[in-house]
Every structure is written in C-alpha cells, then in structure tokens.
Amino acid sequence: MDRTLSADSTPIAYRRRGEGPPLVLVGGALGTAAADAPLAALLAPRFTVVTYDRRGRGASGSGGAGGVAGVRREIEDLAAVVTAAGPGASVFGMSSGGALALEAATAGLPVELLAVYEPPYTPGASGLLLKARASDRLHRLLAAGDRAGAVELFLAATGVDPATVDRMRRAPLWPGLEALAPTLAYDDAVLGDGAVPAERFAAVTARTLVVCGGFSSARSRAATRTLAEALPRARHRTLTGQTHEVAPQVLAPVLADFFARDVYARQAS
C-alpha cells in the first residue's frame, strides 16, 4: 500500500486500482481498505479507485483524538487521500464512512460528486435517545478496556442477533474486530447526536446520491430520505432487496452510472 501524510503527520495507507476518473471509497465502522476491495474491484474497470485504512485501522497510524477533534482529524485524513487520488476525485462513503464524507464536504473538501450508502443517523426523539444511550455505553466499555463488549454493542446496534454474535466470537475474525474496537469512538463522534445536521448540510455543494436498501430497517430508510431532503443537490435511490450489508455487485453499477454520467456531463459542459 502507498501512504500519504495527514495534516498532523499521521500516515494514512491507501491502495489504488484501475484506470479512469479518480474515486475514493470511505469505509464504515470496524472496516479497513480490505473490506472495500470487492466493490473497488468491480469499479476499477471504469475508475481509478482508491481505498484507504481510516485512522487507527490497518496500516494507517493512530494519532487518535476523540469527539470533535477526532472528526476534524478524520476529515483531514480524507482530504489527504483525495489529494493523493488526483484532481477531480469523487467520493463514496459506506455507512458511517458516508457521514464522514458528508462532514468533509461541509468543511470544504473539494469534491463535486458524492455518494453515500445508509449513513446510520437516528433522527426523531426515540432515535436520539437510542443514540445517546449507545454512545454512553460505548465510551464506558472502551474506558474499561472491554473491547469485546464494545464490538458486541456495535453488532447488536446494527441488527446482528445474539446467536450470530456468539458464533463470531469463536471465529478467527474476532481478534481483528477487537483490535479495531477503539475506532468505534470515531464513528460514534462523526454521527453527533444521531440527528441529520440539516442546517450544516445545506452548505454541501456536491451533487450527491443517497442510497438505501429496500430491505433495510424502516428507520434506516427514513433517515436516508431525511438526509436527501437536507442536501441541496441530492437525489435518493432505493436498491430493491438489499439491506445495510449491500451486495457489491448490486451497488457497483449504481455508483458507476452516477459517477460516470455526471463526470462526463461535467467535462462536456
């Protein structure tokens, strides 16, 4: 993997695939660049796809900071990767990676085309209460050094049933998930209180595609529509039969059509 330096000199590892207009993929919670490889491979025939290990993950440095400072650092990391990707880079963010991409666009990241898949906002009174309780428990678990508990909390919040979690704990992948547990604080911070920050997102100038799965939870689907309404230049798309764990072979053509059509339209204008 190649490396670029973020604004605070933390090394951020990234990998480049394919040829064509540059496209940066931003992964979600408990993921590294390796998790984005199947989607990247499907997009590489039409784009120069850049995947990267977010701060504290994989081959990237930690240099961690919580709360607002941590979000600012992650925005700087993404900006460094976008610069490394090349002029005119577009961005796709998965789950909490989508929230990070949106925060970066709000902060002035020079990106004209942006797509996100189900950023896990939880608008509404019950959703905000759920987020507050989950955030409090997450930080208590991490402060106590209970990484397994933090991972279990995250998995339960994303709808994984207890029996599956129990099987995962006995699987070879579990130590890797525990190693990434501290980065859950970064994903928690980028989502704020769980509400869609409509006032801030009104400043996003990028043409944006907001995508959800037709079989995702009603809360997730409603949140994506609220998000699309908050963004000045957004359109919404539902992928029939998909859940939050969207199939790369279903998502890739949708992203390719969006980015390729708008890239070439922009170049022709």
Side-chain angles (χ1 to χ4, degrees):
M1 296 181 79
D2 294 320
R3 285 175 175 78
T4 185
L5 293 181
S6 191
D8 68 344
S9 298
T10 297
I12 304 298
Y14 68 93
R15 180 177 177 183
R16 193 186 308 263
R17 299 174 177 82
E19 295 182 3
L23 172 59
V24 176
L25 307 188
V26 188
L30 294 182
T32 63
D36 295 324
L39 179 60
L42 292 169
L43 292 167
R46 299 179 69 180
F47 303 92
T48 298
V49 185
V50 176
T51 56
Y52 76 104
D53 289 335
R54 286 173 56 190
R55 180 173 293 240
R57 312 173 193 210
S60 289
S62 53
V68 174
V71 175
R72 186 165 56 249
R73 292 301 188 201
E74 282 224 85
I75 289 172
E76 293 168 350
D77 300 344
L78 177 53
V81 174
V82 166
T83 298
S90 302
V91 174
F92 166 70
M94 177 67 196
S95 190
S96 58
L100 173 57
L102 287 163
E103 290 294 344
T106 304
L109 183 73
V111 57
E112 296 187 30
L113 300 172
L114 171 64
V116 297
Y117 189 90
E118 292 191 7
Y121 295 108
T122 52
S126 61
L128 298 186
L129 180 60
L130 178 68
K131 174 64 165 62
R133 289 174 173 171
S135 295
D136 179 68
R137 187 179 175 201
L138 173 66
H139 288 284
R140 284 190 284 110
L141 288 168
L142 292 176
D146 187 355
R147 295 188 173 193
V151 173
E152 288 183 355
L153 174 65
F154 166 76
L155 294 173
T158 55
V160 180
D161 63 88
T164 301
V165 173
D166 186 60
R167 288 195 296 273
M168 291 175 68
R169 290 199 65 153
R170 299 192 298 271
L173 60 79
W174 189 259
L177 295 179
E178 285 196 18
L180 293 172
T183 66
L184 289 171
Y186 304 165
D187 295 282
D188 180 71
V190 80
L191 292 166
D193 64 0
V196 174
E199 186 174 342
R200 286 209 318 281
F201 284 177
V204 174
T205 60
R207 194 183 305 276
T208 307
L209 177 66
V210 180
V211 190
C212 72
F215 280 0
S216 293
S217 69
R219 184 189 299 276
S220 293
R221 289 183 278 117
T224 59
R225 292 198 175 276
T226 299
L227 174 60
E229 291 169 0
L231 294 163
R233 304 178 68 197
R235 61 179 183 261
H236 185 274
R237 174 79 182 267
T238 300
L239 301 186
T240 303
Q242 296 300 301
T243 66
H244 191 68
E245 299 299 321
V246 61
Q249 64 270 24
V250 175
L251 179 60
V254 174
L255 296 180
D257 287 348
F258 170 68
F259 287 120
R261 181 172 63 249
D262 283 331
V263 163
Y264 297 132
R266 186 181 63 200
Q267 291 174 343
S269 62

